[in-house]
Amino acid sequence: MWSPSYSVLPARGLRAAVVLALTAGLATTAPAAAHADARPGPAAKPYMGWSSWSMQSSKYPGLNPDGDYSYLTEANVLKQTDALAAKLKKYGYEYVNIDAGWWRDKTWKPAFDRYARQTPDPVRFPHGMKAVADHIHAKGLKAGIYLPVGLEKEAYGDGRVPIWHADGCTTADIVYGDLRTTNGWDSAYKLDFARPCTQKYVDSQARAVADWGYDFLKLDGVGPGSFKSGDNHDNVADVAAWQQAIAATGRPVHLEISWSLDIGHAADWKKYSNGWRVDTDVECYCNTLVGWENSVDDRFDDTPGWTRHAGPGGWNDLDSLDVGNGAMDGLTKAERQTYATLWAVAKSPLYTGDDLTGLDSYGLSLLTNKEVIAVDQGDTPPARPVTPSDPQQVWAAKNPDGSHTVALFNLADSPAAVTADWSTLGFTGSAAVRDLWNHEDLGTYKNKITEALPAHGSRLFTVTPHGSALHTTGYEAESAGNTLSGNASVADCSVCSGGKKVGNLYLGGKLRFDNVVVDRPGTYLVRVAYVSGDARSVNVSADSGGATRHKFPSTGDWGSVETVSVPVTLKAGANTLTFDSGSDYAPDIDRIDVPASPRR
């Protein structure tokens, strides 16, 4: 039952608190033997659409006049459906997703059918869920619905509730005897898939969703993730069960799982679902829909490690894209564009939580920019940082046609210039630049492009090289000619160049390359290959010069290598180049590659 005690929870986990009220009982856990080849829904590209949650969760005046989270009603969903069809459908937006609360009244009291399955609240949805899906389909759109993972506590019914089409099975036969809890809010009993009745319960839920005509299911509170870990909160089996159950219905249903999923189980999420939330809720649970610092900015640190896991069939979900309503969004124009830019280059699903009946002209231009949508929906791979995760950073991806998608971000609270140097993209010389937000060919730029950006501002380009490949000299971190100090040591690394790396760079550990030779003095953009399961910082210095501290983006785990380019001033001849952990923990270093010429 909903309780005011939700206010003590972190704002970013409040959907958890809401679903603590909204998920006091639901069932979803499946056997690991689920069919790996029966992926629910195609998800050939990130999905696009609208979700109800952002407006449900906001305290913006007028959105929830009948109490918190009261926005979710049949009338409001149909109103947004009609607006989506009229304004955004032709740009690729097609899903209308109903989020948490459709089976609960405005006091959060739940309703279940006689088989322990969620049933719509008759006040919120007087015509039922099938009628809503029928209206959505009549507009040429797809319908989405929401369920929390586990058997909701309120659905247990002293263990005597029968399971649909499962003779002799009751709710006591699908959970652990000790009634251990699960999901991000511990609001449900954990399903026990060693028991034969349990899959039948998930099958019954999937059948209800399919019979109502839904094309999308968001399964929420899934762990490991949702700020929970351990056996009770391991819901991999639930997700597998849902995949199997959906396949058995014969209806293609996109299965999206949420939230803050454990990257250590990325292979499981890819195997059993079509998308996974990589972070906590983007909503601010305040007087607007979102806020820059509430968690929009967090995605810049949290997304890079997930990049390699995204692709056809499953995508990294950054959550709702709320850039269309101006003051209600709670962001500046620059922040709204940056928000949309990151979502596009990361190839996140593009689903807005805005009021589609009240989009302002600027917001509509952001949501309907065909060139930016093409970055998200086309063959462009997901981008990741090619520079450190400093306040000014560059993200890029090489496209199948040889061009590069390049995003410039200024995450500082004041204006600053940001430079994309072609050497960070692997070439030198000239390149043609197209501004995607402004639909403008900017002409040919030699070696780099520099833009003055406002606070939290961005630019998005397609860069087409006309120059030549970058020539570099490589230096291995484990070379006997280097100097290690403190805790630093050489370790085996099967994915690293030369099969080794230098690690244990912590609490004063240092790696010094002792003979870095260049022909000319200047600032060189040195490409650093590194391994770091989380974002870590390191002090970089040359010779006796002062050090600059840079944060290296996460590589996602301790068995993957990525690269960033850092500026280092070198003199002609031999130089030393030092990576110093300082008083913290630094990334492991694989190698460096020094360009033949300094930055120009």
Side-chain angles (χ1 to χ4, degrees):
M1 175 63 74
W2 175 261
S3 166
S5 65
Y6 78 87
S7 62
V8 305
L9 297 176
R12 295 176 190 172
L14 192 51
R15 187 175 317 188
V18 174
V19 184
L20 176 60
L22 299 180
T23 62
L26 169 63
T28 49
T29 309
H35 305 303
D37 59 347
R39 294 180 65 83
K45 55 188 178 181
Y47 81 88
M48 300 174 66
W50 175 84
S51 169
S52 65
W53 185 254
S54 292
M55 285 194 284
Q56 286 179 246
S57 68
S58 178
K59 297 185 182 299
Y60 189 79
L63 281 183
N64 290 278
D66 298 326
D68 288 348
Y69 307 97
S70 61
Y71 176 86
L72 183 61
T73 64
E74 178 179 310
N76 282 334
V77 170
L78 299 187
K79 187 187 305 180
Q80 296 300 323
T81 298
D82 294 348
L84 183 70
K87 298 179 181 181
L88 299 180
K89 176 184 173 184
K90 65 182 178 180
Y91 297 96
Y93 295 84
E94 59 178 347
Y95 285 91
V96 177
N97 292 342
I98 298 165
D99 211 273
W102 57 267
W103 70 99
R104 290 180 177 262
D105 67 17
K106 291 178 182 177
T107 68
W108 297 115
K109 181 180 179 181
F112 302 94
D113 68 11
R114 57 189 177 133
Y115 300 112
R117 299 179 298 184
Q118 289 79 1
T119 192
D121 174 65
V123 174
R124 290 184 187 269
F125 291 90
H127 297 97
M129 305 314 289
K130 185 177 187 305
V132 173
D134 288 346
H135 180 96
I136 293 170
H137 291 151
K139 294 290 183 177
L141 301 171
K142 295 181 179 180
I145 201 166
Y146 169 107
L147 289 171
V149 71
L151 173 69
E152 291 200 86
K153 292 177 180 177
E154 297 108 322
Y156 182 65
D158 294 326
R160 299 174 183 174
V161 181
I163 305 303
W164 181 80
H165 278 206
D167 290 346
C169 294
T170 70
T171 48
D173 300 315
I174 66 175
V175 297
Y176 288 87
D178 59 2
L179 296 182
R180 65 192 65 176
T181 57
T182 194
N183 79 29
W185 317 280
D186 282 305
S187 60
Y189 297 130
K190 184 172 175 61
L191 297 175
D192 181 359
F193 284 97
R195 312 182 76 176
C197 294
T198 311
Q199 179 67 46
K200 293 180 180 180
Y201 176 65
V202 178
D203 291 345
S204 75
Q205 288 190 297
R207 173 51 60 189
V209 167
D211 287 351
W212 287 339
Y214 283 83
D215 311 290
F216 177 104
L217 172 66
K218 174 181 172 182
L219 189 65
D220 205 4
V222 174
S226 304
F227 304 123
K228 296 290 180 68
S229 60
D231 290 344
N232 285 9
H233 300 93
D234 186 336
N235 300 123
V236 171
D238 298 69
V239 181
W242 269 100
Q243 185 201 56
Q244 178 175 314
I246 288 169
T249 69
R251 182 178 185 84
V253 176
H254 178 118
L255 179 59
E256 196 83 358
I257 56 175
S258 183
W259 82 100
S260 290
L261 274 301
D262 181 357
I263 197 170
H265 283 271
D268 294 318
W269 313 140
K270 292 170 70 173
K271 183 176 182 180
Y272 297 124
S273 73
N274 300 120
W276 40 86
R277 280 269 306 281
V278 305
D279 220 319
T280 186
D281 295 354
V282 76
E283 291 84 8
C284 65
Y285 300 94
C286 64
N287 292 332
T288 57
L289 299 186
V290 294
W292 176 257
E293 293 182 356
N294 201 67
S295 67
V296 173
D297 62 342
D298 287 356
R299 270 63 177 174
F300 286 90
D301 278 342
D302 299 340
T303 301
W306 285 90
T307 301
R308 71 170 52 83
H309 299 299
W315 303 95
N316 297 324
D317 184 348
L318 272 59
D319 207 4
S320 298
L321 178 62
D322 298 337
V323 297
N325 286 151
M328 192 166 84
D329 291 327
L331 301 169
T332 66
K333 282 189 173 183
E335 290 167 347
R336 291 160 75 186
Q337 178 176 297
T338 295
Y339 187 173
T341 299
L342 178 62
W343 263 236
V345 300
K347 295 186 78 73
S348 171
L350 301 181
Y351 57 99
T352 181
D354 288 312
D355 178 3
L356 302 182
T357 69
L359 297 176
D360 63 19
S361 59
Y362 182 69
L364 187 63
S365 74
L366 293 177
L367 292 171
T368 61
N369 186 304
K370 291 182 178 180
E371 292 188 68
V372 177
I373 290 173
V375 170
D376 182 83
Q377 297 286 293
D379 294 334
T380 304
R384 62 169 284 122
V386 294
T387 62
S389 294
D390 298 333
Q392 290 75 46
Q393 54 188 257
V394 179
W395 292 47
K398 188 172 184 180
N399 302 322
D401 65 359
S403 68
H404 299 260
T405 298
V406 179
L408 280 59
F409 296 109
N410 174 30
L411 305 185
D413 295 334
S414 57
V418 182
T419 296
D421 195 289
W422 301 160
S423 67
T424 65
L425 308 178
F427 70 94
T428 61
S430 63
V433 178
R434 180 166 178 82
D435 183 332
L436 301 186
W437 280 115
N438 294 309
H439 307 297
E440 182 181 3
D441 288 323
L442 301 183
T444 299
Y445 285 72
K446 188 174 182 180
N447 298 320
K448 63 185 177 183
I449 186 170
T450 299
E451 294 289 330
L453 301 182
H456 307 160
S458 61
R459 297 293 294 273
L460 180 59
F461 303 123
T462 296
V463 174
T464 304
H466 297 316
S468 57
L470 180 70
H471 296 292
T472 63
T473 300
Y475 299 85
E476 295 289 348
E478 69 274 13
S479 171
N482 296 336
T483 300
L484 308 183
S485 57
N487 299 297
S489 61
V490 175
D492 292 334
C493 175
S494 62
V495 297
C496 293
S497 171
K500 294 184 182 298
K501 64 180 179 179
V502 169
N504 288 328
L505 292 168
Y506 67 95
L507 303 181
K510 297 180 184 180
L511 161 65
R512 190 178 73 202
F513 293 84
D514 283 328
N515 192 32
V516 176
V517 179
V518 295
D519 293 334
R520 286 175 284 170
T523 299
Y524 288 76
L525 285 172
V526 176
R527 183 172 298 170
V528 183
Y530 68 99
V531 180
S532 192
D534 49 21
R536 294 189 174 188
S537 297
V538 63
N539 299 317
V540 182
S541 61
D543 300 314
S544 58
T548 301
R549 192 161 183 82
H550 296 286
K551 184 197 290 183
F552 285 19
S554 171
T555 60
D557 54 48
W558 291 95
S560 301
V561 176
E562 296 289 354
T563 63
V564 292
S565 295
V566 298
V568 180
T569 300
L570 302 175
K571 65 181 186 293
N575 297 262
T576 61
L577 183 56
T578 301
F579 293 82
D580 180 355
S581 65
S583 60
D584 209 335
Y585 288 74
D588 296 347
I589 306 298
D590 173 15
R591 63 178 282 140
I592 60 172
D593 290 279
V594 181
S597 300
R599 190 178 198 175
R600 293 193 291 263

